[in-house]
Amino acid sequence: MSVAVIYGGTRSNGNTEQLTERVIGEMEAEKILLKDYDIKPIEDYRHHEAGFPKVEDDYKQLIDRMLSHDVVIFATPIYWYGMSGTLKNFIDRWSQSMKEYPNFKKKMSEMQTYIVAVGGDAPFIKGLPLVQQFHYIFSFAGASFEGYVLGEGNKPGEILQDKQALVAAEQMQKKIKKQMMLALE
Amino acid sequence: MSVAVIYGGTRSNGNTEQLTERVIGEMEAEKILLKDYDIKPIEDYRHHEAGFPKVEDDYKQLIDRMLSHDVVIFATPIYWYGMSGTLKNFIDRWSQSMKEYPNFKKKMSEMQTYIVAVGGDAPFIKGLPLVQQFHYIFSFAGASFEGYVLGEGNKPGEILQDKQALVAAEQMQKKIKKQMMLALE
Amino acid sequence: MSVAVIYGGTRSNGNTEQLTERVIGEMEAEKILLKDYDIKPIEDYRHHEAGFPKVEDDYKQLIDRMLSHDVVIFATPIYWYGMSGTLKNFIDRWSQSMKEYPNFKKKMSEMQTYIVAVGGDAPFIKGLPLVQQFHYIFSFAGASFEGYVLGEGNKPGEILQDKQALVAAEQMQKKIKKQMMLALE
Amino acid sequence: MSVAVIYGGTRSNGNTEQLTERVIGEMEAEKILLKDYDIKPIEDYRHHEAGFPKVEDDYKQLIDRMLSHDVVIFATPIYWYGMSGTLKNFIDRWSQSMKEYPNFKKKMSEMQTYIVAVGGDAPFIKGLPLVQQFHYIFSFAGASFEGYVLGEGNKPGEILQDKQALVAAEQMQKKIKKQMMLALE
């Protein structure tokens, strides 16, 4: 089993990244910072006979890398009570992969997914629609939604004062490690 | 009073657009198709002293146009149980406008907002997190969230079979017209 | 096919009842006002070998009557952002029926369910957790959740000013009638 | 400052109670088991000139006891994706207290509230509408919603296997203690 983190943030070493580091700890994990890549918004060709046209961007390599892992942590700042537009554009493109990617749903169905999300305005309540959205996303894609941490932080570094989120991040690490142990047995 | 529609869709004359046309009817409305413009994802410089760097794209003219109206309908296909990444990127940039735009919150506070959203997978239930997210968005921005229509449609044109959504769209039109009449008095 | 309404309200001819009457119209429907019956709260004996003790109250006859219908409308005022405690006590007892009632899940799986709920504080937003809860309830019980109307009203009679809710109630009636026609074919 | 727990459960020493004990630990707390009292459902007389008629039951003494504390933990099993009907009936009666109780809103506005809820069917997702409902409840009543723990458990004692919930309960205890310390300063 191997772990990837998909970062939707736009700030280096932001609160979301710091909280996610608490989840990762010493584990090996491939980190994909979406902001460093070119990901075009989807154009909806689901109902065209010819299917989706080829898109010249980095999406293909990113989805390849994501699908090569068994545990994927989606880490996003909460912008306007949702995931970043950058992460959303990446996920929107899954509609294309569902049509084109060999075994997309099979690979997703073997994946364990986690959410780490940090916001500045009462994320424990106002982040819940985002959790519910991810639940539907993973459910549709067939992945197993294993857990989420909602952290509070606004200014850089503030997340370190959210003790409950830090503890929950450590618990998430324990859960991931345990499942990796189980998979080895 | 004047009306604008912000379209987040990626397909011309898609289900979302058709349902929104039922809301607009004969009313005059400025239609902004986000997919026809270049909108960069936000880079979070909220906490930099120098503020946000200048971004070369179409955002500035779009937010100008949006803020020149009193009634704004946000119309989006439901992709992966949320607004399109294109629309999200547009809204994410509001964080920049809140810092830079003269009177952004004042203008928003005078705005009446509506949502039209169409999805293929039980939008009456699975679209609710999106409605809740928009509620928080408008609440934070200070706009008055006046109503939403959730329509069901997958293949092009299917929305026309969702009689309840069509009727709800007509009701939305009546409400907008009534409020415009009241504003004239 | 036959229709029942389960009323959770505590006021005769209240806003919820008036809105539900718009759904019923001329249709024949058995109306069950829960407040007129004695329904004890559940005692959780799900994990006792001997099962649930016999309860002396009206629940048994009410669940019999509910299960004799194919279309059931749950009509409740929104008290404190949820269904009334009276209706909740009735539904809590379903856990007992799931253990004891012959074919409870089979009967539920043939049932079409609707919600009519009226509240005084922004029910279009703040009633959504209730809709989501009912979605989970019907999903677990196996019933088919066909639609909901959220109406706004506080003082007696105010619901009649919520034109959108009245129109939505009429649409619900059309849908029920159409499904009854289909069932006859 | 003093702490109360309002238990909505119907089973002695059930999962909810066990998880709540982890929150309480060695703290002094008044425990109110609603199932041991007679609480009549509300009858909605909010709009009657004469107000609510006198109700002969235990509600009055219970609300007195609840309002005499500064920190109140509402602990409920998740029945049918919501609080128990017993707890809901108690909260429904607050509408009466808002009319009659001297300084009800003032007392509520000085209260810190917490939720402990345990369910058997994916409470981390399907318990979220309940959290959102409590958010609206506390917000309307004016209380400060300080945190929640959602635990998973079905058969008696199963909650002890939900390590994340146990850790979150301990964190809740720390938070309560810290706030009590702050209040002493």
Side-chain angles (χ1 to χ4, degrees):
Chain A
M1 275 182 110
S2 65
V3 179
V5 183
I6 311 282
Y7 279 109
T10 64
R11 201 158 65 183
S12 279
N13 199 28
N15 284 313
T16 306
E17 210 171 327
Q18 288 181 51
L19 183 58
T20 310
E21 282 305 314
R22 293 290 177 118
V23 177
I24 299 301
E26 304 292 313
M27 284 192 293
E28 234 177 281
E30 177 171 10
K31 296 172 195 182
I32 298 171
L33 281 76
L34 295 179
K35 75 179 175 66
D36 294 342
Y37 297 92
D38 177 34
I39 304 166
K40 299 251 185 311
I42 195 158
E43 286 184 70
D44 186 358
Y45 278 84
R46 281 175 301 167
H47 308 289
H48 283 237
E49 259 182 51
F52 286 83
K54 197 167 158 42
V55 182
E56 298 292 343
D57 67 358
D58 299 321
Y59 174 72
K60 178 71 173 62
Q61 62 141 304
L62 295 176
I63 197 73
D64 280 346
R65 286 162 63 187
M66 181 181 98
L67 291 173
S68 71
H69 297 282
D70 320 278
V71 174
V72 179
I73 301 165
F74 294 85
T76 184
I78 302 181
Y79 289 158
W80 293 95
Y81 311 100
M83 69 182 85
S84 69
T86 303
L87 178 53
K88 188 57 175 30
N89 269 335
F90 176 69
I91 289 177
D92 283 357
R93 290 287 292 284
W94 293 5
S95 297
Q96 188 170 351
S97 297
M98 290 188 82
K99 290 279 183 197
E100 296 176 354
Y101 204 100
N103 297 322
F104 180 78
K105 281 206 85 163
K106 185 172 178 303
K107 278 166 197 261
M108 289 300 294
S109 74
E110 294 158 3
M111 189 185 288
Q112 296 177 346
T113 55
Y114 293 86
I115 299 300
V116 176
V118 179
D121 181 19
F124 299 103
I125 292 301
K126 298 184 183 175
L128 298 184
L130 177 61
V131 173
Q132 293 173 317
Q133 179 187 2
F134 268 119
H135 164 64
Y136 289 133
I137 288 172
F138 295 139
S139 195
F140 188 80
S144 177
F145 187 10
E146 294 292 321
Y148 57 86
V149 178
L150 296 169
E152 185 155 5
N154 211 328
K155 291 187 194 154
E158 265 186 14
I159 188 65
L160 300 177
Q161 290 161 42
D162 183 348
K163 298 299 176 206
Q164 293 184 19
L166 299 180
V167 169
E170 284 160 22
Q171 291 302 109
M172 188 178 277
Q173 181 184 128
K174 281 185 191 168
K175 183 168 177 179
I176 294 172
K177 280 182 174 165
K178 194 174 164 189
Q179 288 178 322
M180 294 181 83
M181 297 284 281
L182 286 172
L184 286 177
E185 282 169 13
Chain B
M1 274 181 111
S2 65
V3 180
V5 183
I6 310 283
Y7 279 109
T10 65
R11 202 158 65 183
S12 279
N13 198 28
N15 283 313
T16 307
E17 210 172 327
Q18 287 182 52
L19 183 57
T20 311
E21 281 305 313
R22 294 290 177 118
V23 177
I24 299 299
E26 305 291 314
M27 284 192 293
E28 234 177 278
E30 176 172 10
K31 296 173 194 180
I32 298 172
L33 280 76
L34 295 180
K35 75 180 176 67
D36 294 343
Y37 298 91
D38 177 34
I39 304 166
K40 298 253 185 310
I42 194 159
E43 286 183 70
D44 186 356
Y45 279 83
R46 283 175 299 168
H47 308 289
H48 284 238
E49 259 183 50
F52 286 84
K54 197 169 157 43
V55 183
E56 298 291 342
D57 66 358
D58 300 321
Y59 174 73
K60 179 67 174 62
Q61 63 142 303
L62 294 175
I63 197 72
D64 280 346
R65 286 162 64 187
M66 182 182 97
L67 291 173
S68 72
H69 297 281
D70 319 279
V71 174
V72 179
I73 301 165
F74 294 85
T76 183
I78 302 180
Y79 289 158
W80 294 95
Y81 311 101
M83 70 181 83
S84 69
T86 303
L87 178 53
K88 188 58 175 31
N89 269 335
F90 176 68
I91 290 176
D92 283 356
R93 292 285 293 284
W94 293 4
S95 297
Q96 188 170 351
S97 298
M98 289 187 83
K99 289 280 182 196
E100 296 176 356
Y101 205 99
N103 296 323
F104 180 79
K105 281 205 89 164
K106 184 171 179 304
K107 279 167 197 258
M108 288 301 293
S109 74
E110 294 159 2
M111 188 184 288
Q112 295 177 346
T113 55
Y114 293 87
I115 298 300
V116 177
V118 179
D121 181 18
F124 299 103
I125 293 299
K126 299 184 183 174
L128 298 184
L130 176 60
V131 173
Q132 292 173 317
Q133 180 187 1
F134 268 119
H135 163 65
Y136 289 132
I137 288 172
F138 296 140
S139 195
F140 188 79
S144 176
F145 187 11
E146 295 292 321
Y148 56 86
V149 179
L150 296 170
E152 184 156 5
N154 210 327
K155 291 187 194 154
E158 265 186 13
I159 188 66
L160 300 177
Q161 290 161 41
D162 184 347
K163 298 300 176 206
Q164 293 185 19
L166 299 180
V167 169
E170 285 160 22
Q171 292 301 111
M172 188 179 276
Q173 181 185 126
K174 281 185 190 169
K175 183 169 178 179
I176 294 171
K177 280 182 175 165
K178 194 175 163 189
Q179 288 178 322
M180 294 181 84
M181 297 283 282
L182 287 171
L184 286 177
E185 282 169 13
Chain C
M1 276 180 108
S2 65
V3 180
V5 183
I6 310 283
Y7 280 109
T10 64
R11 200 158 67 183
S12 279
N13 198 29
N15 284 314
T16 306
E17 208 171 328
Q18 288 182 51
L19 183 57
T20 310
E21 282 305 315
R22 294 290 178 118
V23 178
I24 299 300
E26 304 293 313
M27 285 192 291
E28 234 178 279
E30 177 170 12
K31 295 172 195 181
I32 299 171
L33 280 75
L34 296 179
K35 74 179 176 67
D36 294 343
Y37 298 91
D38 177 34
I39 304 166
K40 298 252 186 311
I42 194 158
E43 287 184 69
D44 186 358
Y45 279 83
R46 282 174 301 166
H47 308 288
H48 283 237
E49 260 183 49
F52 286 84
K54 197 167 157 42
V55 182
E56 299 292 343
D57 66 358
D58 300 319
Y59 173 74
K60 179 69 174 63
Q61 62 143 302
L62 295 176
I63 197 73
D64 280 346
R65 286 163 65 188
M66 181 181 97
L67 290 173
S68 72
H69 297 282
D70 319 278
V71 174
V72 179
I73 301 165
F74 295 84
T76 183
I78 302 180
Y79 289 159
W80 293 94
Y81 311 100
M83 68 182 85
S84 70
T86 303
L87 178 52
K88 188 58 174 32
N89 269 336
F90 175 68
I91 289 177
D92 283 356
R93 292 286 292 283
W94 294 4
S95 297
Q96 187 169 352
S97 297
M98 289 188 81
K99 290 278 182 197
E100 296 176 353
Y101 205 100
N103 297 323
F104 180 78
K105 279 206 88 164
K106 184 171 179 306
K107 279 167 197 260
M108 288 302 292
S109 73
E110 293 159 2
M111 189 185 288
Q112 295 176 347
T113 54
Y114 293 87
I115 298 301
V116 177
V118 179
D121 181 18
F124 299 103
I125 293 300
K126 299 184 183 175
L128 297 184
L130 176 61
V131 173
Q132 293 173 317
Q133 180 187 2
F134 268 119
H135 163 66
Y136 289 132
I137 288 171
F138 295 140
S139 193
F140 188 79
S144 176
F145 187 10
E146 295 291 320
Y148 57 87
V149 178
L150 296 169
E152 184 155 6
N154 211 326
K155 291 186 195 155
E158 264 186 13
I159 188 64
L160 300 177
Q161 290 160 41
D162 183 348
K163 298 301 176 205
Q164 293 185 18
L166 299 180
V167 168
E170 285 160 23
Q171 291 302 111
M172 188 178 276
Q173 182 185 126
K174 282 186 190 166
K175 182 169 179 179
I176 294 172
K177 280 182 175 164
K178 193 173 163 191
Q179 289 179 321
M180 295 181 83
M181 297 283 281
L182 285 171
L184 286 177
E185 282 169 14
Chain D
M1 274 181 111
S2 65
V3 179
V5 183
I6 311 283
Y7 279 108
T10 64
R11 202 158 66 183
S12 278
N13 198 29
N15 284 312
T16 306
E17 209 170 327
Q18 288 181 52
L19 183 57
T20 310
E21 282 305 314
R22 294 289 177 118
V23 177
I24 299 300
E26 305 292 314
M27 284 191 291
E28 234 178 280
E30 177 172 10
K31 296 172 194 182
I32 299 171
L33 281 75
L34 295 179
K35 74 179 175 66
D36 294 342
Y37 298 91
D38 178 34
I39 304 165
K40 298 253 186 308
I42 194 158
E43 287 185 70
D44 186 358
Y45 280 83
R46 282 174 299 167
H47 308 288
H48 284 237
E49 259 182 51
F52 286 84
K54 197 167 156 44
V55 182
E56 298 291 342
D57 66 358
D58 301 320
Y59 174 73
K60 179 67 174 64
Q61 62 144 303
L62 295 175
I63 197 72
D64 280 347
R65 286 162 64 188
M66 181 181 97
L67 291 173
S68 71
H69 297 282
D70 320 278
V71 174
V72 179
I73 301 165
F74 294 86
T76 183
I78 303 180
Y79 289 159
W80 293 94
Y81 311 102
M83 69 182 84
S84 69
T86 302
L87 178 53
K88 188 60 175 29
N89 269 335
F90 176 69
I91 289 177
D92 284 357
R93 292 286 292 284
W94 293 4
S95 297
Q96 187 170 352
S97 297
M98 289 188 83
K99 290 277 183 199
E100 298 176 353
Y101 204 99
N103 296 323
F104 180 78
K105 280 206 87 164
K106 185 173 179 304
K107 278 166 196 260
M108 288 301 293
S109 74
E110 294 159 1
M111 189 185 288
Q112 296 178 345
T113 55
Y114 292 86
I115 298 301
V116 176
V118 179
D121 181 18
F124 299 103
I125 293 300
K126 299 184 182 175
L128 298 185
L130 176 61
V131 174
Q132 293 173 318
Q133 180 187 2
F134 269 118
H135 163 65
Y136 289 132
I137 288 171
F138 296 140
S139 193
F140 189 79
S144 175
F145 187 10
E146 295 291 321
Y148 56 87
V149 178
L150 297 169
E152 184 155 7
N154 210 327
K155 292 186 194 155
E158 265 186 12
I159 189 64
L160 300 177
Q161 290 160 41
D162 184 347
K163 298 299 175 205
Q164 292 184 19
L166 300 180
V167 169
E170 285 160 23
Q171 291 302 110
M172 188 179 276
Q173 182 185 127
K174 281 186 191 169
K175 183 169 177 178
I176 294 171
K177 280 182 174 166
K178 194 173 161 189
Q179 288 178 321
M180 294 181 84
M181 296 283 281
L182 286 172
L184 287 177
E185 283 169 13

